[in-house]
Amino acid sequence: MAQQQTGSRKRKAPAVEADAESSPSQGLAAADGEGPLLLKRQRRPPTCRSMVHYLKVREVGGWGPAGLQGFDGEMRGYAVQRLPELLTERQLDLGTLNKVFASQWLNSRQVVCGTKCNTLFVVDVQSGHITRIPLLRDREARLAQDQQGCGIHAIELNPSKTLLATGGENPNSLAIYQLPTLDPLCLGDRHGHKDWIFAVAWLSDTVAVSGSRDGTVALWRMDPDKFDDTVAWHSEVGLPVYAHIRPQDVEAIPRAIINPSNRKVRALACGAKNQELGAVSLDGYFHLWKAQSTLSRLLSIRLPYFRDNVCLTYCDDMSVYAVGSHSHVSFLDLRQDQQNIRPLCSREGGTGVRSLSFYRHIITVGTGQGSLLFYDIRAQKFLEERASATLESSSGPSGRKLRLACGRGWLNHNDFWVNYFGGMEVFPNALYTHCYNWPEMKLFVAGGPLPAGLHGNYAGLWS
């Protein structure tokens, strides 16, 4: 990392916004139905009349139901594989907000985001308009004041998209909002975590799990019928009343022999079909829990790459977990005794994998160097750029890895920037979060500069 000398004195290299291992006092946080069978011949759908469609269907095997199903699956896979190289960027202006750590699509044009500066907001990707959402406060204000804010690292919607879970004004607390109005519903504060919440996952429409750097995972059950019986907090300026809830279960991550004090929970992912919960801790372990009325730990696995394990995702189609680390993505297929999917190396200068997402067989990787990479887990190779077509040949893979480079965003040229990075006008943004709107083929990407002391942001709509 670049350094600059002031006079004859060298300044120490700044920390990066990597795993937020420092304590609050340190200031810098190192994101069907059945019916009778008819023998009648199936008619061809009236919308499927293009020559390309006809040729593709002929390859799959005819117009029968099986052919249509196979064709649909093939076309979906083809679209997923070709979409990344067709995306183009339009940057969004976020003003002076600092580092977007989390994001989720609310609808076809609105994305909700959380930042390091503890701001929860909704951005309209068409107009660029930003609406700030009030954060929920603890019942005891002193508890929140004792915590130096690390920002909002997690935003998750329940399966029916009727509830949103994120952090409160106190980063230790779990805040639940109703959708689509974003009215506050409840807050889990003093009976929950004792340190910052870094991850949230929904097990069902009414059950959520949170993971904290205090080394615990907490299971929360939302029962709106009982909220009226709980103690509610109400502000003097007439903000809506919301309930204060306590977790149904809290379980601690087991202490490892190696680095036992660093069992901070950094990421969660849910395998809904089996009611299982995956968790990654900063001591380099993956933990699997059975999540029903309580949390029951099934296993703990030492990860092959255990530096900066800060993101985790799950592929429902293939029942595979993916863990992002300092320079690799590791795959865990817990159905197999032996792992058949080899880890992939991001080769992005050791700045780390900062965000991951699965869609079908393609995994999207957001790096600390401001680029997006795309990996085909079936072929076990990165997607490649297409070579230009010539008179002698059609376009095909060029052999170069497909990489989407994100724009400059905004950077505050403050004293920290002057002292350490004064000569660098262009500084790559870590892509801490990205989320797809697949029905409309859109990708929202956001983040900010990787060094902890730098203040800035990036947000872009790729479509």
Side-chain angles (χ1 to χ4, degrees), residues 106-118:
L106 292 178
N107 51 54
S108 62
R109 61 183 292 172
Q110 291 182 314
V111 179
V112 58
C113 303
T115 71
K116 182 182 179 182
C117 55
N118 226 37

Side-chain angles (χ1 to χ4, degrees), residues 415-438:
D415 290 341
F416 187 89
W417 176 83
V418 171
N419 291 334
Y420 293 104
F421 307 98
M424 297 180 62
E425 287 294 333
V426 179
F427 201 90
N429 289 292
L431 305 182
Y432 295 112
T433 180
H434 68 265
C435 52
Y436 281 94
N437 175 357
W438 276 105

